[in-house]
Amino acid sequence: MDDQNAATDAGTAIAVAEESNQPIIGQKDKLEELCVNTIRFLAVDGVEKAKSGHPGTPMGMADMAFVIWTDFLRHDPTATKWTNRDRFVLSAGHASMLLYSMLHLTGYSDMTLDELKQFRQWDSRTAGHPEYGHAKGIEVTTGPLGQGFANGVGMGLAARMMAARFNGEDAFKPVDHYIYAICSDGDLMEGISSEAASIAGHLGLGNLIYFYDDNNISIEGETRLSFSEDIKKRFESCGWHVQKIDGHDRGAIRKAIKKAQKVTGQPSMIIAKTIIGWGSPKFHGTARAHGEPLGADEVKATKESLGWPAEPTFHIPVPVREEFLRKTKKLSRERKKWEKGFSEWKSRNVELAAQWDTYWSHKVPDNFESELVAAGNSDKALATRALSGQVIQKLAAIAPFVVGGSADLAPSTSTLMKEGGSIERSKGAEGQSPALDVFKGRNLHFGIREHAMGAVLNGMTLYGSFRAYGATFLIFSDYMRPSVRLAALMKVPSIFIYTHDSVFLGEDGPTHQPIEHLWALRLIPNMMLWRPADGAETALAWAAAVRSTDGPTVMVLTRQKLDPIPRTGPVDIKAIQHGAYLLEGFTEGNITFIATGSELSLAIKTAQLLGREGVKARVASAPCLDLFDRQSVDYQNSVLGDRKRVVAIEAGRSSGWYKYVEHGALIIGIDRYGASSPAERIAEELGFTPEKIAAKVREWM
Amino acid sequence: MDDQNAATDAGTAIAVAEESNQPIIGQKDKLEELCVNTIRFLAVDGVEKAKSGHPGTPMGMADMAFVIWTDFLRHDPTATKWTNRDRFVLSAGHASMLLYSMLHLTGYSDMTLDELKQFRQWDSRTAGHPEYGHAKGIEVTTGPLGQGFANGVGMGLAARMMAARFNGEDAFKPVDHYIYAICSDGDLMEGISSEAASIAGHLGLGNLIYFYDDNNISIEGETRLSFSEDIKKRFESCGWHVQKIDGHDRGAIRKAIKKAQKVTGQPSMIIAKTIIGWGSPKFHGTARAHGEPLGADEVKATKESLGWPAEPTFHIPVPVREEFLRKTKKLSRERKKWEKGFSEWKSRNVELAAQWDTYWSHKVPDNFESELVAAGNSDKALATRALSGQVIQKLAAIAPFVVGGSADLAPSTSTLMKEGGSIERSKGAEGQSPALDVFKGRNLHFGIREHAMGAVLNGMTLYGSFRAYGATFLIFSDYMRPSVRLAALMKVPSIFIYTHDSVFLGEDGPTHQPIEHLWALRLIPNMMLWRPADGAETALAWAAAVRSTDGPTVMVLTRQKLDPIPRTGPVDIKAIQHGAYLLEGFTEGNITFIATGSELSLAIKTAQLLGREGVKARVASAPCLDLFDRQSVDYQNSVLGDRKRVVAIEAGRSSGWYKYVEHGALIIGIDRYGASSPAERIAEELGFTPEKIAAKVREWM
């Protein structure tokens, strides 16, 4: 049976088992069929044992996965962090058993057969959806649809940027690989994939080779219930190279990948028509195959129809095992050959090699913090976004691996690296792909696509060589919240910059004025949110963000100018790194003001005003409550004092502060939507002036 | 000068002022030019006076707005809630002065010239972005990009659904209007617009006539920096009818609208090439014209170049005033004529007319609450999603104006109205538009497009005749958060159903397990979040949602089965409507358990377990803390008792509970990410069993 026939017969019973001896099937085809069916039944058995999961998609995608992983994907299970490996992204994360099976079959040592049998069980490496960090070879956490699609774009962009920096005249090219991804209907329906596709097409990321598993089925039934796009036309409209194939025709899959590899100036989308639940006599091509186990009877019937032994489950025929190991050994040899070439390249290119190491190690100078604090210094009133802009210029000079951009707001977010150069489509002829040189730049232009920006940043950060930031207004953090959460869940140190952080942005009004966003972001576990009050705090927020290895940083900055915080002598870096600390000159008193960002100078002014009336007040700055939470209770008490005698001031929802103060304390927040008006009037009306706060404090005391 | 020339000369100085007497311009053209320039200069002067705003876009869009509002838009400034008015959505909300100017010129009585002069000032009707409710004729709050685009789709869908219900054989058709919208680059870059466009194209919403203001400029510079899609091809790929015109050629605009009106089976996109800041000698066609005032010098130069008097500002030439008033009078007459026809239709169609009134008044039976409570009743353990499903079937029977759907999860969210019929593309030939009959259904299929679902629901709800719900998993509330917030900001009673509400959804794992989402949603002002514990609470959540007129409802439901809450005698509806209340049989004790949703039965079991040890505990259910917040302090104290002796249990972030309890109370929450595993094991590991909680309580006591 040749590939063409295999495709034609898709969905009908094909007996190609170990013991079968159909003469028309060549040895290679027979072995392949055996391999593909092994992948299918590992998924079927895994889901069946877990009594939970998605069998149909792995069954449908098995041909694709087999071809990608055995004929194309350059990886080495014994060197899983090899920089020049191809990345594989299973954007359709619900098909996780497919990925786990591939990792097991290709020899990733931590993905044992026992792990496959522990699918979806407590403490296993084989979670319901692939979780980054749970096992080697899982490049990214996927499951929330559309995210993987956009993460892959970030990886492809990072690869292009590394290639632009390091693939010089030398015959050896240190960065020379692809990003493979498999996406589902759901991925393509989510808006984030449209955003990311637009970015990828715009930048001509020819290193992306994406498959769309076009199986016509979603949870509610056939996709045509809600999905009737011309996908080919859609992707062409944003600059992709598109092919349409039969997703069960392995010859066609091979041809399509080869063609896609040759298209270097456009990302590739391969629309692969598949049958969900391929091989299941009853459920193939139906929604029933999507999200629940086939059930004992149908498993039996499916195994019978494909000539597969009913027992043992998780069966891996010996020839299959041998075939995968043979391929893996070959891959290992190829990787080692690359390492040799790379090591020779390093000795020929000493300076570049040193830079290379800086990129991958994220090495910063020993005096990193103090350099940034110096850069963030200002005697005059400046917005923290402007102070951050000063720090970014210093980062540009001393940390080459820091890159970033904004969602079409760079002039407003002050995030442009002035000397960094822009990554933008070359202004050549229509359809012409950007030259590699374009990717030498450090300033990214995400367009008005916050969600894709978040996921692209995650992909770039996961790639490994960059610390990447993305900026927008704080209100629009809502547009990208799923990606922010995933960074935190993955413990990936993406950097999210949010300016225009309160009602004091003024005239743009309630649609643009964050109220609940500070606390909503602080609720996301495993993330550091900084809301600095001056240049020193802004600089240390940046230092923490760049140094982080175990989670994302959110930086919240003002639009409006803030008076400098009085500091005599050198900045007390350690104090700020505690997340909250008492300000010098305000360490004694009967009440304690605690404030963040723009409200700190308000607290100081109120304390001074009350001081003239004989009320002595302490003032604490709390640039990072997430860090403060990690301090000892003694330290926390030393900052807060009597928790009933605290005045907390923050221009946002008040409720989060109850965690830090006792009932009876005074919390001055904003529990309504804002208003369109010059900021001064808003401050007056909402009671955010020293006089109004002093009056409230007097009444409260 | 004919229209063609006007277009050709776009961007160069054209003197067409009141006093000019260029012989080649016909009287009509001259008057039109005067009208359009009036619109331009109202925007220029408004932004200049406010020293803040976006002058360039209104200047570029003025021709479009003029043609739409004077030649096509059926509306009546004296009857702003006329059901059959055309809706106008300014998705590019930053061009708000354009809308305010049109409202003023066409005679909306509350949009006075003084209001235009108060642009972006405290307490004015003329906020930085259009705010629904601030002035008549503002159909929807816009500004966060892409939202208006999707809101319009919701309006168009609602109109089709009303037409399917009421446009019968009678010659008079009660629903027979269009949705006009103007969108910007930013709207189209946001993923939500791709999602919404896909829905609109899929459903063939021919009543949508959208303009894309293709001005090549975004904040960071030329759009080609980040945007190189073939927009025509993109919209065609999802089933839209697309035209490309010169956006300053009013003749072409007219022709395009007429053509679009004739395309009844596809939504229409008119790509209108415009020049941002049209008329400004220095800034036209530049990013500089986008987001800040032109400045005194350039205002002067622009007025000179268009032959406009420098003073007074906010100048409206008498012929312009008269022309608009003439058109408005005509519109009023047409509306009155419609009313007459409608009143005759009502008398000919008595039964339909009664239904019509039910739709627009949202009238429910007097015993609405008790009917729903009866429907939600169950003696056996059921998930609250299933109980909600029971209530929905009752709603289907007694509240015809309730409609809804899910983001491809109906079988999981239990939101299908079994007898409701589906709104789905007719299964006819490719390209064939759905028959009107299709829209008779009540079940919507949003596809895996949560964000568009949120905004489409808002649009449907704003339309006025429906109470519409949309469902997905709680984790994916993050995907649609900007739309949820806008519903709350607009005080629009959209209904958001979120199931699979905790780690107890089990095997799908951390990517699907909400942790921070309950509190993140509760932070949004002006929204009611219900997390019911049984059928009675679920029913009353639905009753509140359907009755709400002043804000959205979020309903949070379990995947897993819950034991029924012991209630003897009739359900105490009033108690539940307090948002939190003591359970009968658990009103006395030294400590108070308070819990929501699935943790209530856990609290009861723990109390019973401790009771056997002689510890007497009160148990409070808190299905809606937002309602509880509105109760008197006395009532709140009566429920919580000694706030130091409270045990709060909720399977999510703990921090929000500090608002309700004193430090020293015991808060049992989840402050880490979840895990992929069967739910029972998760409960065991995270300490959510009666035994584990009892142990914690003993230690704490």
Side-chain angles (χ1 to χ4, degrees):
Chain A
M1 189 194 296
D2 61 21
D3 287 318
Q4 188 50 48
N5 288 340
T8 315
D9 288 353
T12 63
I14 302 175
V16 206
E18 229 177 333
E19 272 69 41
S20 91
N21 53 357
Q22 299 184 2
I24 51 161
I25 300 181
Q27 265 324 103
K28 182 166 173 285
D29 286 338
K30 190 177 155 188
L31 181 57
E32 277 192 4
E33 201 66 28
L34 210 59
C35 290
V36 172
N37 282 339
T38 303
I39 298 168
R40 286 200 175 102
F41 285 114
L42 286 176
V44 167
D45 288 342
V47 171
E48 203 64 25
K49 182 159 192 295
K51 297 190 191 66
S52 162
H54 302 77
T57 337
M59 293 168 84
M61 294 174 177
D63 291 294
M64 266 182 267
F66 175 74
V67 172
I68 295 171
W69 280 72
T70 57
D71 278 5
F72 293 94
L73 196 77
R74 275 176 305 171
H75 66 123
D76 182 353
T78 67
T80 57
K81 289 291 168 193
W82 176 29
T83 58
N84 199 44
R85 70 192 182 279
D86 289 335
R87 269 66 168 177
F88 176 79
V89 177
L90 184 66
S91 190
H94 54 280
S96 54
M97 266 305 291
L98 183 76
L99 177 57
Y100 303 146
S101 301
M102 296 316 301
L103 291 174
H104 174 69
L105 291 168
T106 58
Y108 284 73
S109 59
D110 58 353
M111 190 55 76
T112 62
L113 196 60
D114 274 348
E115 287 290 347
L116 296 191
K117 293 178 183 172
Q118 288 300 305
F119 181 49
R120 294 184 156 230
Q121 303 307 305
W122 184 268
D123 230 11
S124 73
R125 296 183 198 281
T126 46
H129 296 79
E131 300 278 345
Y132 177 71
H134 281 213
K136 288 171 186 167
I138 300 177
E139 298 281 1
V140 55
T141 295
T142 51
L145 291 167
Q147 298 289 334
F149 186 108
N151 298 144
V153 173
M155 294 175 184
L157 175 55
R160 273 283 185 271
M161 289 169 68
M162 287 302 281
R165 284 156 173 73
F166 295 100
N167 288 3
E169 297 299 312
D170 196 300
F172 184 88
K173 308 296 180 197
V175 186
D176 174 28
H177 67 88
Y178 296 98
I179 319 294
Y180 293 93
I182 301 185
C183 315
S184 61
D185 306 307
D187 288 302
L188 300 197
M189 286 196 234
E190 293 286 3
I192 184 177
S193 70
S194 292
E195 294 180 13
S198 188
I199 294 172
H202 180 76
L203 293 175
L205 298 180
N207 52 358
L208 301 186
I209 300 179
Y210 276 38
F211 282 83
Y212 163 39
D213 176 48
D214 184 10
N215 66 24
N216 283 19
I217 293 296
S218 64
I219 291 175
E220 290 186 358
E222 297 183 32
T223 47
R224 68 173 170 180
L225 198 62
S226 59
F227 195 44
S228 52
E229 294 175 10
D230 180 337
I231 295 292
K232 181 164 188 287
K233 202 166 178 180
R234 166 176 154 190
F235 277 87
E236 283 172 353
S237 80
C238 41
W240 287 55
H241 178 263
V242 186
Q243 303 177 65
K244 273 180 134 166
I245 61 166
D246 179 330
H248 297 297
D249 178 345
R250 291 189 296 275
I253 297 170
R254 285 190 183 95
K255 265 187 227 157
I257 295 178
K258 280 179 190 153
K259 197 162 175 189
Q261 288 185 336
K262 281 183 197 128
V263 178
T264 57
Q266 288 176 288
S268 269
M269 175 57 75
I270 300 169
I271 302 175
K273 204 86 193 163
T274 66
I275 291 164
I276 196 168
W278 194 95
S280 156
K282 225 156 132 189
F283 299 145
H284 79 270
T286 72
R288 175 59 183 74
H290 174 81
E292 46 186 316
L294 297 180
D297 291 349
E298 189 60 14
V299 170
K300 191 161 167 280
T302 307
K303 287 186 175 176
E304 264 174 31
S305 93
L306 297 185
W308 203 255
E311 293 289 337
T313 53
F314 297 94
H315 174 51
I316 301 172
V318 174
V320 169
R321 176 70 79 196
E322 284 170 351
E323 172 70 1
F324 274 104
L325 287 183
R326 192 181 62 77
K327 300 241 182 196
T328 295
K329 276 185 191 148
K330 186 164 163 276
L331 288 168
S332 266
R333 282 197 301 275
E334 280 170 15
R335 201 262 312 164
K336 280 173 193 146
K337 200 176 136 202
W338 183 92
E339 295 286 5
K340 190 162 168 288
F342 180 60
S343 141
E344 289 161 7
W345 174 84
K346 276 191 150 182
S347 55
R348 284 195 303 274
N349 299 274
V350 178
E351 208 173 311
L352 263 186
Q355 277 187 43
W356 175 273
D357 290 340
T358 303
Y359 270 84
W360 289 96
S361 65
H362 307 132
K363 198 171 147 38
V364 293
D366 290 339
N367 61 348
F368 188 49
E369 276 72 13
S370 53
E371 283 232 42
L372 295 191
V373 167
N377 190 39
S378 169
D379 295 335
K380 56 177 189 186
L382 282 180
T384 47
R385 62 172 168 153
L387 296 164
S388 162
Q390 292 181 191
V391 174
I392 287 174
Q393 305 319 313
K394 172 56 84 174
L395 281 170
I398 64 177
F401 50 84
V402 175
V403 298
S406 92
D408 192 45
L409 286 170
S412 299
T413 54
S414 304
T415 42
L416 203 75
M417 288 187 175
K418 285 170 194 162
E419 310 291 325
S422 264
I423 295 181
E424 52 178 294
R425 196 186 177 86
S426 58
K427 293 177 180 176
E430 186 103 359
Q432 196 183 307
S433 70
L436 195 56
D437 257 9
V438 163
F439 294 96
K440 280 195 175 146
R442 297 173 72 175
N443 291 299
L444 302 163
H445 301 278
F446 293 102
I448 305 166
R449 308 182 184 99
E450 298 83 7
H451 202 173
M453 175 170 77
V456 166
L457 288 174
N458 291 347
M460 292 183 72
T461 308
L462 283 162
Y463 187 81
S465 54
F466 293 106
R467 280 283 177 275
Y469 64 82
T472 183
F473 292 166
L474 178 56
I475 193 90
F476 300 129
S477 61
D478 276 351
Y479 271 73
M480 55 190 287
R481 200 170 157 87
S483 302
V484 172
R485 179 182 211 257
L486 277 165
L489 176 58
M490 289 190 279
K491 302 189 179 175
V492 162
S494 306
I495 303 171
F496 305 112
I497 312 292
Y498 297 131
T499 68
H500 294 59
D501 72 344
S502 74
V503 292
F504 302 123
L505 63 83
E507 290 89 343
D508 273 344
T511 53
H512 284 55
Q513 291 169 345
I515 299 293
E516 69 276 21
H517 300 73
L518 281 171
W519 284 114
L521 286 165
R522 285 181 183 133
L523 283 169
I524 297 177
N526 192 36
M527 186 163 76
M528 293 284 158
L529 182 144
W530 287 80
R531 188 170 186 245
D534 71 349
E537 291 184 359
T538 305
L540 292 172
W542 265 110
V546 172
R547 278 197 194 269
S548 172
T549 56
D550 61 355
T553 301
V554 163
M555 219 173 300
V556 175
L557 305 168
T558 67
R559 176 194 184 211
Q560 78 275 22
K561 289 181 182 174
L562 305 182
D563 288 329
I565 303 305
R567 298 185 195 273
T568 58
V571 169
D572 186 346
I573 290 175
K574 283 248 153 25
I576 296 175
Q577 287 174 334
H578 280 112
Y581 61 100
L582 288 171
L583 287 184
E584 53 181 286
F586 296 94
T587 56
E588 304 291 333
N590 304 320
I591 61 173
T592 304
F593 284 94
I594 186 163
T596 74
S598 52
E599 283 68 70
L600 184 62
S601 61
L602 190 57
I604 293 171
K605 280 174 202 156
T606 310
Q608 288 167 335
L609 201 159
L610 290 169
R612 290 195 284 276
E613 299 170 13
V615 179
K616 225 167 145 48
R618 306 155 87 234
V619 180
S621 178
C624 182
L625 289 170
D626 300 301
L627 266 179
F628 186 55
D629 286 345
R630 296 192 183 182
Q631 309 306 319
S632 69
V633 175
D634 280 354
Y635 179 78
Q636 291 174 352
N637 287 337
S638 77
V639 172
L640 292 165
D642 179 350
R643 293 186 188 217
K644 274 195 162 38
R645 309 294 296 160
V646 173
V647 182
I649 315 176
E650 191 172 70
R653 276 295 228 175
S654 58
S655 54
W657 285 99
Y658 286 99
K659 180 178 160 191
Y660 298 96
V661 305
E662 289 280 359
H663 286 241
L666 181 61
I667 303 176
I668 297 175
I670 300 175
D671 291 307
R672 50 158 279 179
Y673 290 106
S676 172
S677 154
E680 299 69 29
R681 180 71 184 273
I682 294 174
E684 192 67 38
E685 296 282 348
L686 300 186
F688 276 72
T689 64
E691 295 71 25
K692 297 234 164 167
I693 291 177
K696 271 190 198 152
V697 172
R698 274 183 224 114
E699 197 188 336
W700 164 74
M701 284 175 74
Chain B
M1 189 196 294
D2 63 22
D3 287 318
Q4 188 51 47
N5 287 341
T8 313
D9 289 354
T12 62
I14 303 176
V16 206
E18 228 177 333
E19 273 70 40
S20 91
N21 53 357
Q22 300 185 0
I24 50 164
I25 300 181
Q27 264 324 103
K28 178 164 175 285
D29 286 339
K30 192 177 152 185
L31 181 57
E32 277 193 5
E33 200 66 27
L34 210 57
C35 289
V36 172
N37 282 338
T38 302
I39 299 168
R40 287 198 175 103
F41 285 113
L42 286 176
V44 167
D45 287 341
V47 171
E48 203 64 25
K49 182 160 192 294
K51 296 191 191 68
S52 162
H54 302 77
T57 338
M59 293 168 82
M61 294 173 175
D63 291 293
M64 268 182 265
F66 174 74
V67 172
I68 296 171
W69 279 71
T70 57
D71 277 5
F72 294 93
L73 196 76
R74 274 176 305 172
H75 66 123
D76 181 353
T78 69
T80 58
K81 290 289 167 192
W82 176 29
T83 59
N84 199 44
R85 71 192 181 277
D86 290 335
R87 270 65 168 178
F88 176 80
V89 177
L90 184 66
S91 190
H94 55 279
S96 54
M97 266 305 292
L98 182 76
L99 176 58
Y100 302 146
S101 302
M102 295 317 301
L103 292 174
H104 173 69
L105 290 168
T106 58
Y108 284 73
S109 59
D110 58 353
M111 190 56 74
T112 62
L113 197 59
D114 274 346
E115 287 290 346
L116 297 190
K117 292 177 182 173
Q118 287 300 304
F119 181 49
R120 295 185 156 231
Q121 303 307 305
W122 185 268
D123 230 9
S124 73
R125 296 185 198 279
T126 46
H129 296 79
E131 302 278 346
Y132 177 71
H134 281 213
K136 288 172 186 164
I138 300 177
E139 298 280 3
V140 53
T141 294
T142 51
L145 291 166
Q147 299 290 334
F149 186 109
N151 298 144
V153 172
M155 294 175 186
L157 175 55
R160 273 284 185 270
M161 289 168 68
M162 287 301 281
R165 283 155 174 72
F166 295 99
N167 288 3
E169 299 297 313
D170 196 298
F172 184 88
K173 309 295 179 197
V175 186
D176 174 29
H177 67 88
Y178 296 97
I179 319 294
Y180 294 93
I182 302 185
C183 315
S184 61
D185 307 306
D187 288 302
L188 300 197
M189 285 196 235
E190 293 287 3
I192 185 177
S193 70
S194 293
E195 293 179 13
S198 188
I199 294 171
H202 179 76
L203 293 175
L205 298 180
N207 52 358
L208 302 186
I209 301 179
Y210 277 38
F211 283 84
Y212 163 38
D213 175 48
D214 184 10
N215 66 25
N216 282 20
I217 292 297
S218 65
I219 290 174
E220 291 187 356
E222 296 183 34
T223 46
R224 68 172 169 177
L225 198 61
S226 58
F227 195 44
S228 52
E229 293 175 9
D230 180 336
I231 294 292
K232 180 164 188 288
K233 202 167 178 178
R234 167 178 153 189
F235 277 88
E236 283 172 354
S237 80
C238 40
W240 286 56
H241 178 262
V242 186
Q243 302 177 66
K244 272 180 135 168
I245 61 165
D246 179 330
H248 297 296
D249 179 345
R250 291 189 296 274
I253 298 169
R254 283 190 186 95
K255 265 186 227 157
I257 295 178
K258 279 179 192 154
K259 197 163 175 187
Q261 288 185 336
K262 280 181 198 131
V263 178
T264 57
Q266 288 176 288
S268 270
M269 175 57 75
I270 300 168
I271 302 174
K273 203 86 193 165
T274 65
I275 290 163
I276 196 168
W278 195 95
S280 157
K282 226 156 132 188
F283 300 145
H284 79 269
T286 71
R288 175 60 182 75
H290 174 81
E292 45 187 315
L294 297 180
D297 290 350
E298 189 60 13
V299 170
K300 192 162 168 277
T302 307
K303 287 186 173 176
E304 263 175 31
S305 92
L306 296 186
W308 203 256
E311 293 288 339
T313 53
F314 297 92
H315 174 52
I316 300 173
V318 174
V320 169
R321 175 72 77 197
E322 285 169 350
E323 173 69 2
F324 274 103
L325 287 183
R326 191 181 62 77
K327 300 241 181 195
T328 295
K329 276 185 192 148
K330 186 163 162 274
L331 288 168
S332 266
R333 280 197 303 274
E334 281 169 15
R335 201 261 312 164
K336 279 173 194 147
K337 200 175 137 203
W338 182 92
E339 296 285 6
K340 188 161 171 287
F342 180 61
S343 142
E344 289 162 7
W345 173 85
K346 277 191 148 182
S347 54
R348 285 195 302 274
N349 299 274
V350 177
E351 206 172 312
L352 262 186
Q355 276 186 43
W356 174 273
D357 290 339
T358 303
Y359 271 84
W360 290 96
S361 66
H362 308 132
K363 197 171 148 41
V364 293
D366 289 340
N367 61 348
F368 188 49
E369 276 72 13
S370 53
E371 285 234 41
L372 296 191
V373 167
N377 190 37
S378 169
D379 296 335
K380 55 177 190 184
L382 282 181
T384 47
R385 61 172 168 156
L387 296 165
S388 162
Q390 292 180 189
V391 175
I392 287 175
Q393 305 319 314
K394 173 55 82 173
L395 281 169
I398 64 178
F401 50 85
V402 175
V403 298
S406 92
D408 192 44
L409 286 171
S412 299
T413 54
S414 304
T415 43
L416 203 75
M417 288 186 175
K418 284 168 194 161
E419 309 292 326
S422 265
I423 295 181
E424 51 179 294
R425 194 186 178 86
S426 58
K427 292 177 180 177
E430 186 102 0
Q432 197 182 306
S433 71
L436 196 55
D437 257 8
V438 164
F439 295 95
K440 280 196 175 145
R442 298 172 74 174
N443 291 298
L444 303 163
H445 301 276
F446 293 103
I448 306 166
R449 307 183 183 100
E450 298 83 6
H451 202 173
M453 175 170 76
V456 166
L457 288 174
N458 291 347
M460 291 183 72
T461 309
L462 283 162
Y463 187 80
S465 53
F466 293 105
R467 282 281 178 273
Y469 63 83
T472 184
F473 293 166
L474 178 56
I475 194 91
F476 301 129
S477 61
D478 276 352
Y479 271 73
M480 54 191 288
R481 201 170 156 87
S483 302
V484 173
R485 181 183 210 259
L486 278 165
L489 176 57
M490 288 189 281
K491 302 189 179 175
V492 161
S494 307
I495 303 172
F496 305 111
I497 312 293
Y498 297 130
T499 68
H500 294 58
D501 71 343
S502 73
V503 292
F504 303 124
L505 63 85
E507 291 89 343
D508 271 344
T511 54
H512 284 55
Q513 291 169 346
I515 299 293
E516 69 277 21
H517 300 73
L518 281 170
W519 284 114
L521 286 165
R522 286 181 183 133
L523 282 169
I524 297 176
N526 192 36
M527 186 164 76
M528 292 285 159
L529 182 144
W530 286 81
R531 187 171 187 246
D534 72 349
E537 291 184 0
T538 305
L540 292 172
W542 266 110
V546 172
R547 278 197 194 270
S548 172
T549 56
D550 62 353
T553 300
V554 163
M555 217 172 302
V556 175
L557 305 170
T558 69
R559 176 196 184 209
Q560 77 276 21
K561 290 180 183 176
L562 305 182
D563 289 330
I565 302 305
R567 299 185 194 275
T568 58
V571 169
D572 186 346
I573 290 175
K574 282 251 154 20
I576 296 175
Q577 287 174 334
H578 280 113
Y581 61 101
L582 288 172
L583 288 184
E584 52 181 285
F586 296 94
T587 57
E588 304 293 331
N590 303 319
I591 61 173
T592 304
F593 284 93
I594 186 163
T596 74
S598 51
E599 283 68 69
L600 184 62
S601 61
L602 191 56
I604 293 173
K605 282 173 200 157
T606 310
Q608 288 166 335
L609 202 158
L610 290 169
R612 290 195 284 277
E613 300 169 13
V615 178
K616 222 167 147 50
R618 307 156 85 233
V619 180
S621 178
C624 183
L625 289 169
D626 300 301
L627 266 178
F628 186 55
D629 286 347
R630 295 192 182 180
Q631 309 306 320
S632 69
V633 175
D634 281 352
Y635 179 78
Q636 292 173 352
N637 287 339
S638 76
V639 171
L640 292 165
D642 179 350
R643 294 189 187 213
K644 274 195 163 39
R645 310 294 297 160
V646 172
V647 182
I649 315 177
E650 191 171 70
R653 276 295 227 175
S654 58
S655 55
W657 285 99
Y658 287 99
K659 180 179 160 191
Y660 297 95
V661 303
E662 288 281 358
H663 286 241
L666 180 61
I667 303 175
I668 297 175
I670 301 176
D671 291 307
R672 49 158 281 179
Y673 290 106
S676 172
S677 155
E680 299 69 28
R681 180 71 185 272
I682 294 173
E684 191 65 40
E685 296 281 348
L686 300 186
F688 277 72
T689 64
E691 295 72 25
K692 298 235 163 168
I693 292 175
K696 271 189 199 152
V697 172
R698 275 183 223 114
E699 197 189 336
W700 163 74
M701 285 174 77

